[in-house]
Amino acid sequence: MVMPDFTKYYSDLAKKIKASEIRELLALIRERKDVISFAGGIPDPAIFPKEKLAEIAKYVIETYGDDALQYSETKGIIEVRETLSDFVLRYRQITADAEEIIITTGSQSALDILARTLVNPGDVVITENPTYLAALGAFKNNGAKIVGIPIDEKGIKTDVLEQKLKSLIENGERVKFIYVIPVGQNPAGTTMDKDRKQHLIELASKYDTLIVEDDPYSYIIFEPNVEVASLKSMDSENRVIYMSTVSKILAPGLRIGWIIAHPELIRKFELVKQYIDLHSPTLNQYIVAEAIKRGVIMETVSKAVPRYRRKRDTMIKAVEEELGGLVSFYKPVGGLFVFTYVMDERFLADSLLEKALMEYKVAYVPGGSFHPDGSGRNSMRLNFSYPSEEQIMEGIRRLGLFIRSSLK
Ligand SMILES: Cc1ncc(COP(=O)(O)O)c(C=O)c1O
């Protein structure tokens, strides 16, 4: 018996996709109690409303019985889309009826659906530089050419964006969309202000392209008076495709997200989604709708925000004390991350990760992979939602020792 050479059968995509050494290294240490990890991007399980979700799950199965366990519409259950329509109107000032909403299997699946629907190989997708790693993956897997635009503490620099849009269009490039995470950006922790958002919308209109607004974090805000108006709520031309998820405000394991866009686009997303997963889990859709109706999502948010604010403050203080003079960062007003650039660019966070894990027992995500232009190898993404405050203080102390020893 001869085992087949599986590589002969791989698609071009499968050949192109490589396991990331960094992911594997981080996976290795996941079970190790002696390593303090800032690498996840995950909620603190203390915020999960376990009892309420158990009650809701029982209620949903008993009440919606046959429907909740059955196949359902690709776009999402109509009652659930209607509940989401009320939710986004109330909390994100987005006016969208059920026909403008499609339920997805988390936002990750939304990113893939978007890319499959809008991107041909060679098309340009503009992102912030740095941006969410898995969005880059979804866009690139569909052949997108990524153009990264620098950011400051107010997010994407729209003056640079305008120059870039001009030159791309002059060169005959097709810019399919501009992907932004306006609030509590992953990884950089930046939040756009109203002027920046307005300018971005004007540019999309002037240069005739679309905006993808990825919005998992606008509920997780630590300061009063932070500008969180969604781009979608400011959009009068239907150029904004909005997406969000329950992952950071209820539970990521439910895998429920949504896209809001013009019904014509939603129809295309629906056709594309049909062949990916038929529909997102029916039971979980009912659970999410019931959690919204009972106010459980906003209760979870009110529990998460003070907890994460304390952890953010602890991390910032520790970074200032232990890494002062070594790194630069934007103080995040929302989200889950502090993103640090080691000022001495000889520090290569990716090649040094193994040393951090093995010798200093501290984990981070090297920032290079968030930069579509290959820059940022001196950066690290540090998550503060998951570790305890004690772990944050001790972990940042270890990071200080590690960075200093690496620069000797
Ligand atoms: C900006 C951004 N988009 C999308 C996602 C994916 O979220 P989901 O769990 O809904 O797939 C994340 C998760 O961390 C994220 O940070």
Side-chain angles (χ1 to χ4, degrees), residues 41 105-109 111 132 135 179 181 185-186 214-217 243-248 252 255-257 336-337 381:
T105 308
S107 294
Q108 190 56 41
S109 148
L111 290 166
Y132 178 48
Y179 169 77
I181 307 158
Q185 206 248 23
N186 179 2
D214 190 356
D215 184 36
Y217 298 115
M243 65 168 80
S244 190
T245 169
V246 298
S247 288
K248 306 303 191 291
R255 309 308 303 134
I256 295 293
L336 310 182
F337 308 104
R381 191 190 72 176

Side-chain angles (χ1 to χ4, degrees), residues 272-290:
V272 169
K273 178 176 166 68
Q274 215 161 19
Y275 299 103
I276 300 177
D277 58 6
L278 292 185
H279 62 78
S280 298
T282 317
L283 177 60
N284 294 3
Q285 292 186 47
Y286 275 111
I287 290 175
V288 166
E290 197 56 33

Side-chain angles (χ1 to χ4, degrees), residues 325-339:
L326 283 178
V327 302
S328 64
F329 65 95
Y330 300 122
K331 181 175 170 181
V333 295
L336 310 182
F337 308 104
V338 173
F339 196 66

